Amino acid sequence: MLKVAAGLFSAALLLLGAPAFGAPTPTPSPAPKPSPSPTVRSITITSDVLTAPIVLRSDQHQRQFAALAGEVDWLAAGPSTLKAPAADKLGPKFVVVSAVNGVDKQTYDLYPLAAGGPRVFRPAAQPDKRKVTAAWFLGRFSMDASLRGAGVLLGGTAPVEGGGVGGGLVESATAEPDIRAMVGDWQRFVGLNGAVVVVIALGVFAIAYAFRRTI
């Protein structure tokens, strides 16, 4: 009788929607994890020749940011490659600070108009507390173009206005022409034409030599 009564009681519980004795308790599904925040890098440029800092963001100024980041990222831990240049040969200084999600990581001093080519100085005191030594490096020849792409006016007399690419940068239409860039373009043009002349001359010489051997 007891077994029959227990069976009837269990059946009644099932009909009423209550779990039977010994039935496993359902495990709640875990809450979905929030998606990670995207990593946003930024570069801030300051200088005595700028009226306001220029800020480049990797999510807003992809091309300009990538170009300028390429000028300094390779200098994070490398040893010094040259001695300190003379201060009067460096030209204007542009301080570049690289950050990740708003936290400063690296800082460098760029000298795009230094005598003998661009120079970069890496201070020993870095924002991310890395243990590096103060070091001087030969900068890339593209530094001038990278800074111009970011909105820095080099070789002109008008200051840069505004706070970042796409944020109101204005370059004066009356600024003096960049004589250095013009001379460089002229030298490259003359060099290219000279190479073409040499190739043509060698071709003529080879044809004349072959023709002479057949006579």
Side-chain angles (χ1 to χ4, degrees):
M1 290 294 293
L2 291 176
K3 292 182 178 181
V4 174
L8 292 174
F9 183 72
S10 298
L13 290 176
L14 290 174
L15 291 175
L16 293 174
F21 292 110
T25 303
T27 304
S29 58
K33 295 182 179 180
S35 57
S37 301
T39 299
V40 177
R41 295 184 60 193
S42 63
I43 287 179
T44 302
I45 309 169
T46 57
S47 174
D48 292 341
V49 301
L50 297 177
T51 59
I54 297 175
V55 180
L56 304 176
R57 288 171 54 98
S58 60
D59 60 340
Q60 296 179 4
H61 321 104
Q62 291 90 345
R63 180 176 57 83
Q64 297 92 336
F65 173 85
L68 198 55
E71 303 293 340
V72 296
D73 280 352
W74 60 282
L75 304 171
S80 179
T81 57
L82 72 163
K83 64 180 182 180
D88 59 346
K89 302 294 184 181
L90 289 173
K93 177 176 73 173
F94 297 88
V95 179
V96 170
V97 178
S98 176
V100 178
N101 290 336
V103 180
D104 293 344
K105 296 294 184 180
Q106 304 174 35
T107 182
Y108 302 95
D109 299 340
L110 274 57
Y111 299 89
L113 303 181
R119 298 289 191 274
V120 181
F121 175 67
R122 182 189 66 202
Q126 291 290 315
D128 61 357
K129 309 302 181 183
R130 289 180 296 116
K131 292 184 178 180
V132 295
T133 57
W136 282 92
F137 302 90
L138 288 171
R140 294 178 174 176
F141 288 113
S142 57
M143 184 187 297
D144 188 311
S146 297
L147 286 169
R148 289 178 184 274
V152 175
L153 183 61
L154 295 172
T157 58
V160 173
E161 304 287 346
V165 173
L169 286 179
V170 177
E171 293 188 3
S172 173
T174 61
E176 295 180 0
D178 188 355
I179 302 302
R180 184 171 179 231
M182 292 172 61
V183 171
D185 292 341
W186 180 81
Q187 289 176 337
R188 286 191 292 271
F189 177 78
V190 172
L192 178 61
N193 285 349
V196 172
V197 171
V198 170
V199 170
I200 293 174
L202 289 175
V204 172
F205 177 82
I207 293 173
Y209 180 77
F211 180 77
R212 183 177 179 182
R213 287 178 61 88
T214 58
I215 298 176

